[in-house]
Amino acid sequence: MPLEPERRDFVRVAADIIVRYRFRSVPRKDADATDKVLSGATTNLSGGGLLLRGPIPEISIVTQLVTGKATLDVELTLPSDPRPIMAKARCAWVETVEEETLRCHLGLRFTEITAEDKERIFRYVIRVQMPV
């Protein structure tokens, strides 16, 4: 039986953009660890979300991420656009977790983002796809 192509709601592009993020809605074993703002980067970006590579504050958060119980506040600044994009996101999938370093790759889906910020991401995606 042939594999069906993966269906996506939004076009995604490879992007290496710094992301600042904070875990919310996580049962807190160590409140100080889960409340701090972390820094990572995108691997790809679309109007619906992003693939984040970066640290997690503690390994126990993985269960909440996999079950969709953890949400995140994310902030990113697109190249050539000084205004940051602020959004809330939920983990859609966990791609990798390095237990020793607490580094991971998380697929994040935006749950709250303004129409204006989503439009700014769409315009960025279109620009990236245009031939030079």
Side-chain angles (χ1 to χ4, degrees), residues 27-42:
R28 296 169 179 348
K29 181 165 76 171
D30 179 356
D32 289 339
T34 54
D35 280 340
K36 72 179 180 181
V37 175
L38 301 169
S39 186
T42 62

Side-chain angles (χ1 to χ4, degrees), residues 78-132:
L78 300 172
S80 308
D81 187 346
R83 295 175 300 142
I85 290 175
M86 310 288 276
K88 295 189 183 332
R90 182 171 305 280
C91 182
W93 72 92
V94 176
E95 193 168 289
T96 61
V97 176
E98 297 170 7
E99 192 169 354
E100 304 79 35
T101 63
L102 296 179
R103 303 228 15 112
C104 63
H105 285 81
L106 304 175
L108 301 182
R109 180 171 295 128
F110 298 133
T111 56
E112 292 179 36
I113 185 170
T114 66
E116 177 189 355
D117 284 347
K118 190 177 275 194
E119 179 65 27
R120 290 167 56 209
I121 293 172
F122 288 150
R123 286 193 308 266
Y124 172 77
V125 168
I126 290 168
R127 270 195 323 271
V128 168
Q129 291 180 318
M130 299 290 274
V132 181

